[in-house]
Amino acid sequence: MSQVTAIKQSNITDTEFLNDVLNGLTQEQKTLPCKYFYDDKGAALFEQITTLQEYYVTRTELSILEQYSQAIAQLLPDNLSIIEPGCGSGKKVAYLLAHMANVKTFVPFEISQEMLSYSLAHLSPLFPELVISPLLGDFTHSQMVKQLTKDTALDSQTNLVYFPGSTLGNFSPVKAIEIMSNFHRLCGVNGYVLIGIDLVKERQVLLDAYDDKAGVTAAFNKNLLGRINNELNANFDLTTFSHQSRFNEVHSKIEMHLISLCDQSVIIDNQQIHFDKGESIHTENSHKYTVESFAALAGQAGLKLENTWQDANDYFALCLLRPA
Ligand SMILES: C[S@@+](CC[C@H](N)C(=O)[O-])C[C@H]1O[C@@H](n2cnc3c(N)ncnc32)[C@H](O)[C@@H]1O
């Protein structure tokens, strides 16, 4: 088995979840941060989503990795460390690791304990020589780079920051630039950043991917309310909310919402929140890029696009970047 150091935790506090929920639900357009989707039930539902017919995202990115991971690995220097923020199941990085013999350390960095444990169970038997230094934390945190270097076995100035799954698309352009600026600092002057982005495509394909017929995405979205009930002493009735996916043409993004089916009030930690019938809680954004729009965004984070690899339908792109 690989050498897995103990899971360390940084920058997640117990009160942050409550504060984020109350703050989001007292805005004029109610919102909830999507980083809270992944409790144990949410993590299992997400894994189910990745296998759905409508959800082309995971199988398309995996097909690109199957075809090109060796070519990608050949462009990278020996002896680098890999950091994967929001590593999820860890299945994608395995494709790269299979072609990289001299990786110094792999740092899976997750907000979800369940996902982190899942990724360790998947990767450690596959790569017996690999040093794995897992970190439980929030990659959107402003101190992220400092914490990562302090709390993990990272000792390399030359790193690969690997960010697949189109997770970048969950953030506004301003936040995406901030996150990529942190990746820029983290990778080092001779390092690399590899990001998976979902490309602009036919509207109905996008809408279906976030609203499958079997209702798994709806259950995933509603589970956020279930998690608030379980962890924050709230009384949401999940049957009084419905899932909706919308395409926002202006900002080129899919939005997920939960719509209140009636006038109602919900108690969260002794605070009452009112919902009008038809009112929405905006729970997730998923921005869709062109390679050009993404390169321009990355440029604002000081990163230059070096290579892209795409599938035959041009649904998804893996983009390799370097400090400009
Ligand atoms: C869309 S999934 C992608 C998982 C994986 N990277 C893949 O491509 O299959 C997003 C993952 O990022 C994690 N995540 C979301 N927000 C996070 C944050 N702010 N900090 C750390 N991890 C986060 C979630 O727990 C989840 O596992």
Side-chain angles (χ1 to χ4, degrees):
M1 300 283 272
S2 15
Q3 306 155 57
V4 183
T5 61
I7 295 180
K8 287 208 181 159
Q9 176 167 332
S10 76
N11 79 33
I12 307 179
T13 60
D14 290 344
T15 52
E16 196 176 327
F17 184 26
L18 177 63
N19 291 342
D20 285 349
V21 166
L22 290 178
N23 180 43
L25 294 182
T26 48
Q27 306 292 317
E28 194 168 329
Q29 166 61 69
K30 292 181 168 68
T31 62
L32 287 170
C34 64
K35 67 183 177 189
Y36 295 116
F37 273 132
Y38 302 86
D39 63 352
D40 54 350
K41 193 167 172 200
L45 284 166
F46 180 71
E47 282 310 291
Q48 223 180 310
I49 288 172
T50 65
T51 65
L52 293 170
Q53 214 316 48
E54 293 95 331
Y55 196 76
Y56 60 84
V57 184
T58 306
R59 69 170 174 277
T60 306
E61 189 173 17
L62 287 175
S63 75
I64 298 171
L65 283 166
E66 258 165 37
Q67 199 173 347
Y68 298 112
S69 50
Q70 186 168 11
I72 296 170
Q74 278 168 359
L75 293 174
L76 301 172
D78 264 1
N79 278 319
L80 48 58
S81 292
I82 304 180
I83 303 137
E84 187 177 358
C87 63
S89 67
K91 283 183 189 153
K92 289 178 188 160
V93 76
Y95 285 83
L96 294 174
L97 288 169
H99 298 289
M100 296 171 75
N102 297 317
V103 171
K104 282 175 104 172
T105 310
F106 173 59
V107 179
F109 181 26
E110 251 298 332
I111 201 165
S112 158
Q113 170 83 56
E114 289 74 19
M115 282 300 200
L116 195 54
S117 305
Y118 192 94
S119 70
L120 295 176
H122 179 67
L123 292 171
S124 74
L126 286 179
F127 302 100
E129 305 298 324
L130 185 64
V131 176
I132 304 183
S133 185
L135 186 65
L136 198 57
D138 184 343
F139 64 68
T140 62
H141 202 283
S142 59
Q143 298 298 308
M144 182 268 254
V145 177
K146 213 189 245 174
Q147 279 154 348
L148 257 171
T149 35
K150 180 169 79 62
D151 291 336
T152 68
L154 264 188
D155 64 349
S156 173
Q157 298 300 313
T158 306
N159 297 314
L160 168 68
V161 181
Y162 181 43
F163 200 47
S166 158
T167 305
L168 187 76
N170 293 150
F171 299 95
S172 69
V174 170
K175 190 72 189 171
I177 292 168
E178 184 191 313
I179 289 171
M180 286 192 285
S181 301
N182 279 331
F183 293 172
H184 177 193
R185 286 169 55 211
L186 196 57
C187 76
V189 279
N190 296 316
Y192 290 81
V193 179
L194 182 64
I195 300 185
I197 55 163
D198 198 17
L199 298 173
V200 172
K201 58 184 67 61
E202 200 190 318
R203 185 192 171 106
Q204 197 58 48
V205 175
L206 290 171
L207 286 169
D208 290 350
Y210 294 84
D211 192 7
D212 61 281
K213 285 204 182 69
V216 186
T217 313
F220 174 72
N221 199 8
K222 284 191 195 185
N223 180 58
L224 191 47
L225 305 183
R227 179 176 187 185
I228 295 170
N229 282 350
N230 296 338
E231 296 182 28
L232 300 179
N233 195 22
N235 64 350
F236 278 105
D237 174 356
L238 273 56
T239 63
T240 62
F241 286 86
S242 71
H243 165 77
Q244 194 180 71
S245 77
R246 303 177 184 166
F247 187 65
N248 179 328
E249 297 271 359
V250 176
H251 297 290
S252 186
K253 62 177 181 176
I254 283 281
E255 298 178 357
M256 292 208 311
H257 291 259
L258 288 165
I259 311 294
S260 177
L261 297 174
C262 55
D263 285 326
Q264 58 179 313
S265 290
V266 173
I267 307 287
I268 305 170
D269 193 50
N270 295 322
Q271 187 156 330
Q272 184 169 315
I273 309 281
H274 180 77
F275 295 87
D276 290 334
K277 183 177 178 184
E279 189 175 0
S280 88
I281 312 172
H282 184 182
T283 53
E284 191 179 63
N285 287 315
S286 186
H287 288 82
K288 309 300 167 190
Y289 307 98
T290 61
V291 171
E292 294 71 26
S293 71
F294 171 70
L297 205 62
Q300 291 186 67
L303 292 168
K304 186 171 167 292
L305 186 61
E306 287 231 325
N307 283 77
T308 61
W309 296 268
Q310 289 172 220
D311 58 296
N313 293 323
D314 291 335
Y315 269 16
F316 199 93
L318 259 186
C319 302
L320 187 67
L321 306 132
R322 298 201 71 181

